[in-house]
Amino acid sequence: MSERTAPPKTVLLRRGEVHSPADPFATAMVVERGQVAWVGSEGAADAFADGVDEVIDLDGALVTPAFTDAHVHTTSTGLALTGLDLSGAATREEALDLVRAFAAARPADRVLLGHGWDASRWPGGQPPTRAELDAATGGRPLYLSRIDVHSAVVTTALLDLVPGGVPREDGPLTADAHHAVRAAALAAITPAQRAEAQRTTLAHAASLGIGTLHECAGPEISSEDDLAGLLRLAAEEPGPRVVGYWAEHGEEGIARARALGAAGAAGDLFVDGALGSHTACLHRPYADAGHTGTAYLDAAAVAAHVVACTEAGLQAGFHAIGDAAVTAVVEGVRAAADKVGPARVRAARHRVEHAEMLTPDTVAAFAELGLTASVQPAFDALWGGEDGMYAQRLGAERARTLNPFAALLKAGVPLAFGSDSPVTPLDPWGTVRAAAFHRTPEHRVSVRAAFTAHTRGGWRAVGRDDAGVLVPGAPADYAVWRTGELVVQAPDDRVARWSTDPRSGTPGLPDLTPGRDLPVCLRTVVDGRTVYVRPGE
């Protein structure tokens, strides 16, 4: 019997702080048969001590539901963790030095892979040229994705591997040309390399208290073999659970999603691209480019996909960042609701990934149509602010409207938080902090609301309302944390004052004020099985 299929132990956790709405002052918890069986006070814990397989002395540690990262590219994340990371390069010259050293250290690699460059943060704002990359690699195949993964710079040798060829003018490749070179680069990876990359990501996620990942796969992102292999690995080996999405529209796409065991024909089904690569689709032109980006699907195509998925009993979902793309999604979903009925569309919990450029009208439409906003608060932390990439691309006025989390919550739109890793790192507490301390103050939400979006919100996004919270009967997915004093943080001081009053019964969470240390994960448990223990604990 494998560790994954062996019956989980009955465990008593005691002498800590248990974050549970069932008992805001709980200090102990019992887990049995992979579910939370009881939460309560230390005084009552003695009654359970003799009937369990294991007692864990928390020694004051905090127990919370495990996080769910609602948007991940697992293989690409693992390749970035083990490959060339350019996110820290401060100049083009430094990036080229890193490429040169990376190529020299890996003479046997069939293709060199790197990620994370961002020329908008470099002096001069220009990425490396193909000639510079050819020289740095000695003429070997190289794929370097931009931080948003919607464009890439490559070497001539990689272009030579693309069946049918792609345009060879210098500069970053976008849209179909980018998809072609990415497919050629990933095709050179062996199955063993791919599995190792996936294991690396899952182990890293477990070490961060993440119990579930939503893998956003698709024919323009990865491959059927990649998703099938990941789902098989996650089912057979201890680690976070993986919920798969396959981003392909049409009857064949829906059939493939069903055959792969995906939760939906959803995820990164591209309606547009990304702001950093000037491919997000806008109503008005970019401030630093004379065009409005790229549209991949229109409202009619969105409507047809939503109707087909709704009738097939699958989630539909779309990648939409620019305001024109979000409008196309809203118009398409509304047209689908007119055809199959609004109740059926709402019940399907269709998703929109990223949804960065929203207006009051599109926020209201999300609420009306029951759309889940699968969003990435770290985007604002990385690119927001008066001088950030958003302001460069859109101008400061439009940039201030992006990622309006407070407006979405106020309208009743379900939120699910994720990282879009490797675009931004797996970093759940950092994600909660980014939402609570949004660079635009009116878009901030409370730490409690952000935490809920990153735990229970991810479960709700896949149709489970009974999980992501530590109450009797819920799945025993939890993490144990070393942290400081527990507090209640909210954008409105009056709310914070009442919530910290013991009479409110509001369980506290770590103080995430910027500059303070984030909690350290000591243990992660999925379905009652321990998948990570911090060394030395």
Side-chain angles (χ1 to χ4, degrees):
M1 183 177 293
S2 73
E3 189 175 347
R4 185 71 172 181
T5 58
K9 294 179 179 179
T10 299
V11 179
L12 167 64
L13 301 95
R14 62 188 308 178
R15 290 202 329 114
E17 300 280 351
V18 179
H19 185 86
S20 172
D23 183 346
F25 309 110
T27 59
M29 180 172 76
V30 174
V31 171
E32 186 176 19
R33 291 192 290 273
Q35 293 185 326
V36 177
W38 171 84
V39 293
S41 66
E42 178 61 29
D46 287 337
F48 298 94
D50 292 336
V52 300
D53 300 316
E54 182 181 5
V55 176
I56 296 175
D57 186 342
L58 295 169
D59 192 24
L62 171 67
V63 183
T64 71
F67 286 100
T68 293
D69 192 311
H71 193 119
V72 176
H73 304 287
T74 305
T75 301
S76 295
T77 297
L79 292 170
L81 289 169
T82 59
L84 174 58
D85 180 4
L86 295 177
S87 61
T91 66
R92 184 178 72 179
E93 291 72 24
E94 183 180 344
L96 284 166
D97 287 342
L98 290 169
V99 170
R100 195 172 293 110
F102 185 76
R106 288 163 175 78
D109 287 3
R110 287 188 289 176
V111 62
L112 300 169
L113 300 171
H115 169 71
W117 62 269
D118 185 358
S120 71
R121 302 167 68 183
W122 295 345
Q126 296 300 313
T129 66
R130 187 167 304 137
E132 289 171 330
L133 294 173
D134 286 346
T137 60
R140 295 166 63 192
L142 168 73
Y143 169 83
L144 290 181
S145 53
R146 190 186 181 279
I147 191 168
D148 60 11
V149 201
H150 282 265
S151 60
V153 290
V154 302
T155 57
T156 303
L158 182 61
L159 293 179
D160 292 340
L161 297 179
V162 178
V166 294
R168 296 206 169 211
E169 54 270 11
D170 208 3
L173 299 173
T174 63
D176 290 342
H178 175 229
H179 298 154
V181 296
R182 177 167 58 189
L186 295 179
I189 298 170
T190 66
Q193 286 175 306
R194 183 172 63 206
E196 185 57 33
Q198 293 169 349
R199 286 191 182 95
T200 297
T201 300
L202 295 177
H204 183 55
S207 76
L208 297 170
I210 297 170
T212 301
L213 303 174
H214 294 184
E215 165 66 16
C216 293
E220 295 178 342
I221 303 159
S222 53
S223 69
E224 293 176 64
D225 287 344
D226 185 89
L227 178 58
L230 172 62
L231 295 178
R232 184 168 56 250
L233 185 151
E236 294 174 352
E237 300 182 8
R241 70 167 53 77
V242 176
V243 177
Y245 286 94
W246 180 253
E248 185 178 6
H249 62 89
E251 291 184 8
E252 290 185 358
I254 291 173
R256 260 187 284 274
R258 191 184 294 283
L260 287 164
D268 275 331
L269 183 51
F270 296 120
V271 178
D272 67 345
L275 291 164
S277 294
H278 291 102
T279 52
C281 191
L282 313 180
H283 285 305
R284 293 188 287 121
Y286 285 88
D288 60 350
H291 61 82
T292 57
T294 305
Y296 299 124
L297 296 176
D298 60 15
V302 169
H305 187 62
V306 172
V307 168
C309 285
T310 303
E311 291 181 338
L314 289 174
Q315 283 182 291
F318 305 91
H319 163 120
I321 287 179
D323 49 4
V326 174
T327 296
V329 170
V330 164
E331 290 177 351
V333 177
R334 185 173 283 128
D338 289 342
K339 183 169 183 178
V340 302
R344 291 182 68 191
V345 166
R346 289 179 58 86
R349 303 192 188 192
H350 301 308
R351 300 170 52 137
V352 184
E353 310 298 320
H354 315 309
E356 295 190 70
M357 293 186 70
L358 292 155
T359 66
D361 287 344
T362 51
V363 168
F366 272 46
E368 169 200 343
L369 298 165
L371 295 173
T372 294
S374 172
V375 294
Q376 295 75 41
F379 287 4
D380 173 73
L382 184 60
W383 297 317
E386 295 296 311
D387 302 318
M389 183 272 287
Y390 289 153
Q392 294 174 29
R393 294 291 184 266
L394 303 171
E397 183 179 353
R398 272 195 293 178
R400 281 191 291 270
T401 69
L402 266 62
N403 301 301
F405 306 136
L408 287 163
L409 276 180
K410 184 177 181 180
V413 176
L415 292 184
F417 282 178
S419 62
D420 198 10
S421 182
V423 175
T424 62
L426 299 171
D427 180 15
W429 285 113
T431 295
V432 174
R433 172 185 279 172
F437 294 91
H438 196 295
R439 288 177 178 269
T440 305
E442 57 264 36
H443 299 330
R444 293 174 180 172
V445 298
S446 69
V447 167
R448 183 184 182 196
F451 179 79
T452 299
H454 214 351
T455 50
R456 199 168 191 179
W459 283 94
R460 287 171 167 166
V462 295
R464 291 283 301 273
D465 294 328
D466 61 335
V469 61
L470 299 181
V471 297
D477 284 28
Y478 62 89
V480 180
W481 307 92
R482 182 193 302 132
T483 188
E485 179 186 3
L486 302 184
V487 299
V488 174
Q489 292 175 295
D492 188 322
D493 286 343
R494 293 170 299 172
V495 174
R497 283 198 299 272
W498 166 245
S499 296
T500 54
D501 188 309
R503 293 171 296 171
S504 72
T506 302
L509 285 165
D511 186 345
L512 300 184
T513 302
R516 289 184 177 270
D517 291 339
L518 293 174
V520 174
C521 184
L522 305 179
R523 180 184 295 259
T524 304
V525 176
V526 176
D527 273 338
R529 298 176 178 88
T530 299
V531 299
Y532 170 77
V533 175
R534 183 175 176 81
E537 296 296 329

